[in-house]
Amino acid sequence: MLELKKVSKGYGTPGTHAFRAVLTDLSWQVGAGIRTGIVGPSGSGKTTLLNLIGALDRPDSGEILFNGTDISSFSNDQLAIFRQKSLGFVFQQHHLLPQLTLWENVLLPLLPSGKSVDKDSKDWAEYLLKKTGIWGQRNQLPSQMSGGECQRTAVVRAMVNKPSLILADEPTGALDEDNASILSDLLISLSREEGVTLVTVTHSAELAARMDKVWYLNHGTLSPFIS
């Protein structure tokens, strides 16, 4: 499903002392439906890698293939459509809009299509909220909800467009142990039941241990992680 071919990414002006290479000729594959963890020291480029996969940034060189199509060559408009239709994002901070209710936040990704939200989409959103145990809070604002409830809302928002790939950047990092466990269960169960590929960056040994495969990122390259 996902393939990176000799991808490099750095920051600063190439050829100067200020340039910092983050990823170097990185080649990597993720199969459809696989739950993959990425671990590594802070500053190793884990978030940079997710941003490239998620079409939030472009590589300096190399190709990023999604179902055989090189998304790194897409125009900005094509990338926006790709993100909206194919990807779901879950970050360490939930990034819910404070002025919108839980229900409105969840439905927000459905609006860029330029159409009103249809009944099937609302039914799917309702199913997800009930499955995650927060249907009863759907009319509350984020400020009226706990951190764990907000993060579960963020997972539902990531799933509402029925993406084929979910990217999670430290999704349990801001949660206590109990809520982190609930969120880990949620991500894994939804991925398994809906056949969604999951790529998650994490410092949590517990979450990494539950992935199908775990990779270690350091010095710009990925290698299989051996615990």
Side-chain angles (χ1 to χ4, degrees):
M1 168 193 242
L2 176 67
E3 183 177 6
L4 278 64
K5 292 185 175 181
K6 294 188 175 182
V7 168
S8 295
K9 180 65 180 179
Y11 298 100
T13 303
T16 69
H17 70 280
F19 180 75
R20 183 171 70 90
V22 179
L23 303 175
T24 307
D25 287 336
L26 190 152
S27 295
W28 186 51
Q29 292 182 336
V30 178
I34 300 298
R35 287 161 289 282
T36 300
I38 301 172
V39 299
S42 296
S44 60
K46 299 186 298 296
T47 296
T48 296
L49 177 58
L50 277 194
N51 286 344
L52 292 173
I53 297 170
L56 298 174
D57 202 354
R58 295 179 183 270
D60 295 332
S61 61
E63 298 178 334
I64 300 174
L65 305 178
F66 187 83
N67 290 330
T69 300
D70 182 13
I71 65 170
S72 55
S73 65
F74 280 8
S75 68
N76 288 337
D77 287 344
Q78 287 175 314
L79 286 176
I81 294 171
F82 167 72
R83 287 192 297 268
Q84 197 259 337
K85 289 186 174 182
S86 300
L87 303 182
F89 295 89
V90 183
F91 302 99
Q92 181 171 345
Q93 304 298 329
H94 53 73
H95 297 305
L96 301 180
L97 295 181
Q99 71 273 28
L100 300 183
T101 64
L102 179 161
W103 182 242
E104 291 167 335
N105 267 289
V106 164
L107 295 182
L108 194 60
L110 298 168
L111 298 179
S113 62
K115 303 176 183 178
S116 59
V117 181
D118 59 33
K119 184 179 183 301
D120 287 344
S121 296
K122 289 181 179 179
D123 287 346
W124 172 239
E126 179 179 341
Y127 164 78
L128 290 172
L129 289 174
K130 288 180 176 177
K131 184 173 180 62
T132 55
I134 49 176
W135 173 247
Q137 292 95 312
R138 63 190 179 280
N139 294 318
Q140 294 181 357
L141 297 172
S143 61
Q144 300 169 317
M145 299 160 59
S146 70
E149 290 168 341
C150 286
Q151 198 66 336
R152 276 184 271 169
T153 302
V155 172
V156 173
R157 181 183 57 188
M159 288 288 299
V160 77
N161 266 335
K162 297 186 177 181
S164 51
L165 173 63
I166 287 185
L167 303 175
D169 192 358
E170 296 287 358
T172 62
L175 301 177
D176 59 51
E177 185 176 348
D178 288 343
N179 276 306
S181 178
I182 291 171
L183 192 77
S184 298
D185 289 342
L186 176 61
L187 277 171
I188 292 167
S189 66
L190 285 175
S191 170
R192 182 178 294 116
E193 292 169 13
E194 303 304 326
V196 177
T197 304
L198 172 64
V199 176
T200 181
V201 161
T202 183
H203 281 106
S204 167
E206 291 79 12
L207 179 56
R210 300 182 67 182
M211 298 293 109
D212 298 323
K213 296 183 179 180
V214 183
W215 296 81
Y216 184 76
L217 179 62
N218 199 19
H219 301 302
T221 60
L222 279 167
S223 58
F225 178 70
I226 302 174
S227 59

